[in-house]
């Protein structure tokens, strides 16, 4: 039975198991001392309390005491507290009798309730302490007689010398008792000169105690704890990573942050469950701030002032800069730094110093009054100006924090440009947003807004990007700077396109071209041509798109602009392929990727890989598509859009190439909300199409229809085709032949209107299948006849369409030959989602030709592979086909619904291993098919 844990103990199951094992061992006579070490707030006390509950349930006696931070404390304070409370709760007379007068007198100093005055000690004080320690051990052993004893000593980092000495003594004497002593201390308090440090090191060397190190939570641990706090609700990776970055994995800090978020309404409960506002800056909760500042207050005032100066410099700070802005001597600053390191507030780095925790710095800054912060920032800026090659971002930050805005603006603009160059888009966003509030020049404001919009686009915030670009371009036009405005129109048009408005995108691209053309070749003009080429590409106007792409290359080359030249290679490659130049087109895509990576244009490389992944799969080259996915996965960078796009690409290939719908579902369900949150509606729409496909593959057809968009995202031919393709397939899966036939007729009309532009191999194959299911053989034959199929060569889906048509027309030899070639092309090509229905069609042709054994073989291959990868739809259809042949399909072990899940059964085997065994036995045991039906009737049912 699973153990229910307090939310802040989620992720600490292993440590709790260790403590419970130690408690059991102690109850069996193997007493020991265990110490839990960890930073403040990491969960030591919660872990102790959990063990206390376990001990109480087992009937174990529990004593608990803690050390005090006060300068003057009673000797043996945690022992006095714990034992004293225990004595007050049990039969005092029985204890007195069992201890005897001698032991009671030794304990009289500490426990007056034992009612015997302590002896007048004479002689060696050391011997007197030993007698006291033995008397205490006797008392503890008495308490442990029945069902053991748990003695808890908390906050040992504050222990006085007498407590440390007694604990050291007991650690050597409890091994053959039924006593478990459990201590805790803050590892971040144990600086090199801390009096507990040598004792802990000695214990560890001698093996006297067991130390349980309690580290901060990792990102998954933060996610699990957050989920537990919110009633088990799933936590998005984005929120999890944000909380981990803010709390550094500290459970106490995490809990306080979440409490504050609840109090402020940033996280709230709805009828559907927990929801949140968009992630922003969570302020440091007062409880966390006060805890941190208590440590700062222990420092001398001069040292505390130096620490405040360090906080102004940043998470990492330089020694000489600290001397300069603190106004103290080097000797004083060195002494302060030594104290910071000893108190574990800061740590030494190879090139300076840093705060051990970002929250420490944040709390110190938040506690300072504004004039003091501004004064220190001003001194830091002056120090930086004197240094050659000073970092522009650092200088701008200090100038802005010092409210010296006239000096800050030019430096901040240079810093933002530098940040864009190294793809630090969020840094640039932060700088532009701050400058906007302090800019009075209207034309400069227009430039800042436009720049902000552009970097917001690269940061993945399409909605914000469009708003800032629109406002900035309008101001630049009013200022008469049409050329600058035209450069930003390109990015505004891209925002429109991503928000499913290609009409508005075309207006911006055309306006940019018209404004830039008179000025001759430029980077911006080349990009305008690239974007116009992209629109014609999406509308399947390949000749026009090819011309525009080549013109973009020419202009970019003349202007010496590598970015648009390389970007244009994407549309050269994409448009050459449908014109019959497949290999050359794929070459240009890979060339664009390689040159973009070499030149540092990561976002162009990402676009090239997205296109290459889709195009390689389009040509039934799943292995090559997966290889380019690995290239994409290797490209880690700051583009937030890439995170969504990577999930999209992984989900697409998980479904189509690998045939793993459950994995595809998880990836796409994570990606769609991210795209919708920033209003990238076009990509969200595309992902919903694939998500619906995955759900149907999981035999969840109702859910698939719920997810499928109601209409195409835009009127672009590419989007219309994708929508018709998925809708037609879902109708066929659901048995709605009439609806599928209507969509197939729409495809026929599209191809009749423009065979070159509107012949798309996947759509063509589906339309032929839908028409044949409706017994409309003549229209299927006509569609294949008028379609422009010369560019496809021996594409397996074209072969499949021809094979299906031949089977419907009674041309069994033609059906077998076409479908056999299609299966051979797809076999091992990593295109499972199309290989399996092709094998089923081939099985139908074989059965119709009298080769029932061959048909059974193909269906078994599909059944086995589909079950292994969790493709429930294909597995069901293959099983139905086998049943129609009279083959008893064995009760198979339910699939994990994803090969990626890799769950293991009780014998240490994966489900697929057992599945292979069952199927192999059945194949070996099968002898003959006894169904007495005409082959073509069986084939009709197998094919469906």
């Amino acid at each position: 039975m699973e153990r229910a844990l307090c939310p802040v103990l989620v992720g600490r199951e292993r440590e709790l198991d260790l403590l419970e094992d130690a408690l059991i061992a102690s109850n069996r006579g193997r007493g020991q001392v265990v110490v839990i070490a960890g930073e403040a707030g990491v969960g030591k006390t919660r872990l102790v309390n959990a063990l206390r509950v376990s001990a109480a349930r087992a009937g174990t006696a529990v004593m608990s005491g803690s050390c005090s931070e006060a300068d003057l404390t009673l000797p043996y304070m945690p022992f006095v507290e714990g034992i004293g409370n225990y004595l007050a709760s049990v039969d005092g007379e029985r204890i007195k009798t069992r201890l005897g007068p001698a032991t009671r007198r030794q304990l009289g100093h500490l426990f007056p309730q034992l009612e015997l005055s302590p002896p007048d000690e004479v002689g060696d004080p050391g011997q007197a302490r030993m007698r006291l320690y033995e008397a205490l051990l006797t008392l503890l052993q008495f308490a442990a007689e029945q069902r053991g004893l748990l003695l808890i000593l908390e906050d040992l980092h504050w222990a006085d010398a007498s407590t440390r000495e007694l604990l050291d003594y007991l650690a050597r004497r409890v091994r053959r008792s039924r006593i478990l002593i459990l201590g805790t201390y803050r590892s971040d308090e144990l600086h090199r000169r801390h009096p507990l440090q040598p004792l802990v090191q000695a214990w560890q060397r001698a093996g006297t105690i067991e130390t349980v190190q309690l580290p901060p939570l990792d990102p998954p641990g933060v996610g699990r704890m957050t989920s537990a706090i919110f009633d088990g609700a799933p936590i998005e990776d984005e929120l999890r990573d944000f909380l981990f970055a803010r709390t550094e994995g500290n459970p106490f800090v995490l809990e306080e942050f979440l409490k504050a978020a609840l109090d402020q309404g940033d996280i709230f409960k709805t009828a559907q469950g927990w929801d949140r506002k968009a992630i922003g800056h969570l302020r440091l909760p007062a409880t966390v701030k006060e805890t941190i500042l208590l440590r700062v207050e222990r420092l001398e005032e001069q040292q505390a002032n130096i620490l405040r100066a360090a906080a102004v410099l940043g998470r990492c700070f330089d020694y000489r800069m600290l001397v300069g802005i603190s106004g103290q001597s080097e000797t004083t600053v060195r002494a302060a730094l030594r104290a910071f390191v000893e108190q574990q507030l800061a740590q030494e780095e190879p090139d300076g110093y840093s705060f051990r925790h970002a929250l420490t710095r944040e709390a110190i800054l938040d506690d300072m009054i504004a004039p003091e912060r501004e004064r220190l920032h001003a001194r830091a800026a002056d120090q930086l100006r004197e240094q050659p090659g000073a970092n522009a971002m650092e200088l701008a930050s200090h100038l802005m924090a010092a409210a010296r805005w006239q000096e800050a603006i030019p430096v901040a603009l240079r810093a933002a440009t530098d940040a864009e160059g190294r793809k630090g888009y969020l840094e640039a966003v932060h700088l532009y947003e701050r400058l906007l509030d302090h800019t009075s020049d209207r034309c400069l404001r227009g430039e800042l807004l436009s720049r902000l919009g552009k970097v917001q686009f690269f940061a993945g915030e399409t909605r914000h990007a469009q708003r800032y670009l629109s406002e900035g371009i309008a101001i630049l036009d009013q200022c008469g700077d049409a050329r600058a405005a035209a450069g930003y129109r390109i990015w505004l048009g891209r925002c429109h396109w991503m928000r499913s408005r290609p009409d508005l995108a075309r207006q911006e691209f055309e306006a940019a071209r018209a404004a830039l053309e008179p000025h001759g070749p430029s980077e911006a003009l080349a990009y305008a041509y690239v974007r116009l080429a992209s629109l014609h590409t999406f509308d399947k106007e390949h000749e026009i798109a090819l011309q525009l792409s080549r013109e973009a290359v020419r202009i970019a080359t003349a202007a010496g602009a590598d970015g648009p030249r390389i970007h244009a290679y994407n549309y050269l490659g994409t448009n050459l392929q449908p014109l019959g130049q497949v290999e050359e087109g794929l070459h240009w895509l890979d060339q664009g990727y390689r040159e973009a990576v070499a030149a540092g244009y990561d976002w162009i490389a990402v676009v090239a890989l997205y296109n290459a992944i889709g195009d390689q799969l389009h040509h039934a080259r799943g292995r090559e598509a997966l290889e380019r996915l690995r290239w994409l996965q290797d490209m880690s960078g700051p583009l937030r859009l890439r995170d969504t796009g990577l999930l999209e690409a992984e989900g697409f290939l998980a479904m189509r190439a690998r045939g793993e719908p459950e994995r595809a579902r998880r990836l796409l369900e994570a990606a769609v909300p991210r795209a919708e949150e920033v209003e990238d509606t076009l990509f969200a729409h595309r992902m919903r199409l694939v998500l619906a496909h995955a759900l149907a593959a999981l035999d969840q057809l109702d859910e698939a229809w719920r997810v499928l968009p109601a209409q195409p995202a835009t009127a672009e031919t590419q989007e219309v085709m994708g929508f018709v393709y998925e809708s037609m397939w879902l109708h066929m899966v659901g048995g709605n032949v009439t609806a599928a036939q209507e969509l197939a007729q729409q495809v026929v009309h599209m191809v009749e209107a423009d065979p070159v532009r509107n012949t798309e191999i996947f759509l063509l194959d589906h339309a032929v299948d839908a028409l044949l299911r409706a017994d409309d053989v003549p229209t299927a034959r006509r569609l294949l006849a008028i379609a422009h199929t010369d560019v496809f060569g021996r594409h397996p889906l074209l072969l499949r369409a021809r094979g299906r048509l031949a089977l419907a027309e009674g041309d069994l030899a033609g059906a077998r030959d076409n479908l056999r070639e299609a299966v051979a092309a797809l076999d091992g090509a990593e295109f499972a989602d199309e290989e399996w229905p092709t094998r089923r069609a081939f099985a139908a042709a074989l059965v119709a030709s009298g080769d029932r054994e061959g048909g059974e073989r193909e269906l078994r291959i599909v059944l086995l592979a589909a079950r292994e990868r969790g493709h429930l739809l294909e597995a069901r259809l293959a099983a139905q086909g086998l049943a129609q042949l009279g083959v008893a399909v064995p009760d198979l072990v339910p699939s994990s619904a994803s090969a990626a899940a890799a769950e293991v059964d009780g014998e240490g085997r994966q489900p697929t291993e057992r599945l292979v065994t069952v199927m192999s036995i059945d194949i070996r045991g099968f002898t003959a098919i006894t169904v007495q039906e005409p082959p073509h009737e069986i084939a009709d049912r197998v094919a469906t």
Side-chain angles (χ1 to χ4, degrees), residues 56 64 75 88 138 157 170 181-182 187 195 219 258 338 377 381 411 413 473 504 592 616 690 702 710 733 760 762 815:
S64 180
T138 299
H157 50 280
L170 292 175
I181 301 178
L182 179 61
S187 54
L258 293 175
R338 191 175 299 112
H377 278 296
V411 178
L413 287 174
I473 289 168
L504 297 180
Q616 290 285 357
V690 185
D702 289 343
V733 168
E760 208 286 332
F762 288 84

Side-chain angles (χ1 to χ4, degrees), residues 208-319:
T208 308
I209 65 167
E210 178 76 23
T211 302
V212 176
Q213 295 288 346
L214 211 56
L217 298 172
D218 58 8
V222 168
R224 290 195 301 273
M225 177 176 163
T226 305
S227 175
I229 289 173
F230 292 121
D231 306 326
I235 302 301
E236 299 168 335
D237 290 350
E238 183 185 12
L239 177 60
R240 176 202 68 191
D241 294 342
F242 176 80
L243 290 171
F244 174 76
R246 288 292 281 131
T247 65
E248 298 183 340
N250 187 293
F252 167 72
V253 177
L254 174 61
E255 192 175 23
E256 293 303 312
F257 264 111
L258 293 175
K259 285 180 183 176
L262 283 169
D263 291 343
Q264 295 162 12
D266 294 331
I267 296 177
F268 48 90
K269 198 165 189 177
T270 68
Q272 290 73 39
W274 290 100
D275 202 352
R276 64 173 176 83
K277 297 179 181 177
I279 288 178
H281 176 70
L282 290 181
R283 289 188 59 81
L284 193 64
T287 49
V288 178
K289 178 181 172 182
E290 290 165 4
T291 301
I292 293 171
L293 293 178
L294 282 173
R295 301 187 65 194
V296 177
E297 290 172 4
R298 296 182 207 159
L299 298 169
E300 299 174 3
E301 182 60 27
Q302 190 178 58
Q303 292 178 341
N305 286 334
I306 294 172
L307 188 62
R308 295 183 183 103
V312 164
L313 289 176
R315 172 78 185 264
C316 300
F317 52 92
D318 178 73
Y319 161 71

Side-chain angles (χ1 to χ4, degrees), residues 64-115:
S64 180
S66 59
C67 303
S68 172
E69 189 180 7
D71 292 334
L72 297 176
T73 61
L74 295 173
Y76 312 111
M77 183 173 180
F79 291 99
V80 171
E81 180 184 359
I83 297 173
N85 289 336
Y86 171 78
L87 291 175
S89 65
V90 296
D91 185 349
E93 293 303 320
R94 179 169 174 269
I95 291 177
K96 293 175 188 177
T97 302
R98 290 294 306 276
L99 291 177
T103 301
R104 288 166 59 193
R105 284 195 180 91
Q106 291 296 330
L107 297 173
H109 279 298
L110 302 178
F111 308 107
Q113 59 265 53
L114 294 177
E115 298 179 357

Side-chain angles (χ1 to χ4, degrees), residues 525-754:
L525 179 60
Y527 269 127
Y529 273 90
V530 169
R531 290 306 179 193
L532 286 168
S534 72
L535 291 183
H536 287 284
T537 300
F538 305 142
D539 230 0
K540 301 289 184 179
E541 297 169 340
H542 304 299
E543 293 283 4
I544 300 173
L546 203 56
Q547 293 173 11
L548 290 166
S549 300
R550 287 171 174 154
E551 184 64 8
V553 171
R554 185 193 67 77
I555 293 170
T557 302
D562 289 337
R565 174 181 59 79
I566 298 170
H567 199 175
Y569 293 167
N570 287 304
Y571 301 107
L572 278 177
T574 301
N575 290 288
L576 283 169
Q577 295 170 62
L579 297 177
Q581 301 175 58
V582 174
E583 299 305 328
E584 184 180 354
L586 293 174
H587 163 77
W588 278 114
L589 289 175
D590 286 349
Q591 180 74 11
Y593 157 70
R594 293 189 179 95
E595 288 196 29
V597 169
Y601 297 112
D602 285 0
W603 66 276
I604 297 177
V606 167
V607 172
L609 286 177
Y610 287 159
N611 290 341
I613 287 169
D615 288 357
Q616 290 285 357
L617 198 65
H618 190 276
H619 298 295
R621 303 178 185 185
R623 194 176 303 279
E624 290 81 355
L626 288 167
E627 180 183 18
R628 281 147 186 81
L629 175 63
R630 287 190 289 272
W631 298 353
L632 183 62
Q633 290 167 334
D634 290 340
M635 291 187 63
S636 58
L639 285 179
R640 182 182 167 201
L641 178 61
R642 178 182 306 153
D643 298 335
T644 303
L646 180 57
L647 288 172
E648 177 190 2
E650 288 176 337
F652 174 69
L653 289 184
M655 181 64 255
R656 302 289 279 142
R658 300 292 299 158
E660 298 172 349
E662 176 58 26
R663 183 165 185 267
R665 181 194 65 77
R666 291 200 306 268
L667 290 164
L668 293 166
E669 284 184 347
V672 168
R674 296 188 189 187
E676 291 178 338
E677 183 178 350
V678 296
E679 296 188 12
D680 288 344
T681 55
L682 182 68
F683 289 106
H685 188 283
R686 289 179 178 179
M687 287 186 282
R688 283 187 173 277
L689 295 178
V690 185
L691 178 56
H693 192 108
L695 289 165
L698 291 167
D699 253 356
Q700 300 176 24
L701 191 59
D702 289 343
E703 186 66 11
W705 279 114
R706 187 189 67 78
V707 166
L708 190 79
Q711 59 188 13
T714 71
E716 291 173 304
T717 303
Q718 175 176 279
E719 303 308 319
V720 172
M721 285 182 170
F723 176 78
V724 171
Y725 172 87
E726 288 297 345
S727 301
M728 193 187 321
W729 184 74
L730 287 182
H731 282 307
M732 288 192 287
V733 168
N736 191 343
V737 176
T738 301
Q741 183 185 17
E742 290 174 358
L743 289 171
Q745 290 288 354
Q746 182 179 338
V747 175
V748 173
H749 297 322
M750 291 170 63
V751 174
E752 285 177 334
D754 192 337

Side-chain angles (χ1 to χ4, degrees), residues 403-420:
R404 288 159 55 171
W405 291 101
Q406 292 307 309
E407 299 173 66
I409 288 173
V411 178
L413 287 174
R414 187 170 76 249
T417 302
D418 292 345
E420 290 181 55

Side-chain angles (χ1 to χ4, degrees), residues 421-591:
R422 55 184 168 78
K423 306 176 184 67
Y425 302 116
L426 294 180
E427 295 176 42
V429 165
H430 176 69
L431 283 170
Y432 289 136
E433 286 178 338
R434 294 193 66 186
L435 290 177
L436 278 170
D437 293 333
H438 301 275
T439 302
S440 56
D441 185 299
R442 180 166 175 74
C443 295
L444 176 58
R445 180 175 179 80
E447 176 68 20
L448 288 174
L449 284 166
S450 300
R451 286 192 183 193
L452 176 57
K454 182 178 176 181
V455 293
Q456 286 279 24
F457 173 82
F458 280 104
E461 293 287 348
T462 309
R463 179 180 65 250
H464 298 319
Q466 180 177 319
R467 176 166 61 86
Y468 288 127
L469 283 164
S470 297
E471 186 178 351
I473 289 168
I475 295 174
L476 289 175
D477 281 339
Q478 293 169 6
C479 291
D481 198 349
R483 188 174 180 182
Y488 292 115
R489 286 186 187 280
I490 296 165
W491 304 106
L492 176 58
R494 183 65 175 171
C495 292
H496 284 311
W497 182 78
M498 293 179 72
R499 299 183 75 187
S500 304
R501 290 300 305 270
D503 54 329
L504 297 180
R506 188 182 299 273
Q507 290 177 20
E508 296 298 337
F509 298 154
E510 292 287 7
R513 178 169 66 170
L516 294 167
E517 202 94 61
H519 300 284
S522 66
E523 181 178 63
L525 179 60
Y527 269 127
Y529 273 90
V530 169
R531 290 306 179 193
L532 286 168
S534 72
L535 291 183
H536 287 284
T537 300
F538 305 142
D539 230 0
K540 301 289 184 179
E541 297 169 340
H542 304 299
E543 293 283 4
I544 300 173
L546 203 56
Q547 293 173 11
L548 290 166
S549 300
R550 287 171 174 154
E551 184 64 8
V553 171
R554 185 193 67 77
I555 293 170
T557 302
D562 289 337
R565 174 181 59 79
I566 298 170
H567 199 175
Y569 293 167
N570 287 304
Y571 301 107
L572 278 177
T574 301
N575 290 288
L576 283 169
Q577 295 170 62
L579 297 177
Q581 301 175 58
V582 174
E583 299 305 328
E584 184 180 354
L586 293 174
H587 163 77
W588 278 114
L589 289 175
D590 286 349
Q591 180 74 11

